[in-house]
Structures are given as C-alpha cells and as structure tokens.
Amino acid sequence: RCAACRHLRRRCPSDCIFAPYFPANNPRRFSYVHRIYGASNVAKILQDLPENVRGEAADSLHYEAYCRIKDPVYGIVGMITVLHQQICAAQRHLARVHAEI
C-alpha cells in the first residue's frame, strides 16, 4: 500500500492516484499534505493535471504543506521573504566590495 492508503486505512487499488507520488517508505510526506489540503482535494488536483507534471505538483504540495506546518502564519511566503532579504543583503555587500575595489 502507498502512504496515502495506509494513512487513510483503505485498500490501495492498482490505479491509485497517490501511489506514484506518496510511496510507503515516506509516510510523513502524505501526512503533511493531508493535514493541510485533505486527501480528496489532493486527489482532485492530481487528477486534473497531465501525468507528466503530477510529480512536480506533488513535490510542490508537499513542500508548501511542510512550510505551512512549520510556520502556520506565513508558510512558504515567510521562507521566500527570508531568502529575498538574504539576497538583498548579499547584493549590498557585493556593491560595497566593488566600491572598495
């Protein structure tokens, strides 16, 4: 069974939409996504996408859910803001170094 079917305590059908993206060896990955989005919403999202981008969508849903659990107020936006501030600080430092040279 995949991690999703195991978490939901159901049988895993051969055409399970979750199986390729939520393997049994990583149950925490599905639990994060399920906690934030819900299993039915994730299934709808994955079914509406072409098969060649479903893996990337599952990765994105997992990362966004992980960030939302880690920081319930800002989630992924908080991480993006921190990274943007670090880039701006590095650019200012680089400009100072160029000015000294």
Side-chain angles (χ1 to χ4, degrees), residues 53-72:
V53 296
R54 287 180 185 174
E56 293 174 14
D59 291 341
S60 178
L61 289 170
H62 168 253
Y63 190 67
E64 289 178 26
Y66 170 76
C67 291
R68 179 59 64 184
I69 289 169
K70 189 175 174 183
D71 184 359

Side-chain angles (χ1 to χ4, degrees), residues 61-99:
L61 289 170
H62 168 253
Y63 190 67
E64 289 178 26
Y66 170 76
C67 291
R68 179 59 64 184
I69 289 169
K70 189 175 174 183
D71 184 359
V73 176
Y74 295 108
I76 192 71
V77 175
M79 294 199 72
I80 291 170
T81 303
V82 167
L83 292 173
H84 181 68
Q85 289 172 349
Q86 289 176 354
I87 289 170
C88 290
Q91 287 174 337
R92 286 191 302 269
H93 181 70
L94 183 63
R96 276 185 254 140
V97 169
H98 279 295

Side-chain angles (χ1 to χ4, degrees), residues 25-66:
N25 62 358
N26 192 356
R28 192 175 294 163
R29 178 179 166 97
F30 180 75
S31 68
Y32 290 158
V33 172
H34 176 65
R35 192 181 316 170
I36 299 299
Y37 299 108
S40 63
N41 289 332
V42 174
K44 288 176 191 174
I45 290 169
L46 292 176
Q47 287 173 347
D48 290 343
L49 292 172
E51 285 190 38
N52 60 338
V53 296
R54 287 180 185 174
E56 293 174 14
D59 291 341
S60 178
L61 289 170
H62 168 253
Y63 190 67
E64 289 178 26
Y66 170 76

Side-chain angles (χ1 to χ4, degrees), residues 2-24:
C2 67
C5 292
R6 183 172 290 173
H7 183 81
L8 299 172
R9 296 187 178 117
R10 66 179 189 187
R11 293 187 62 183
C12 191
S14 61
D15 62 341
C16 180
I17 189 75
F18 299 116
Y21 315 109
F22 300 102

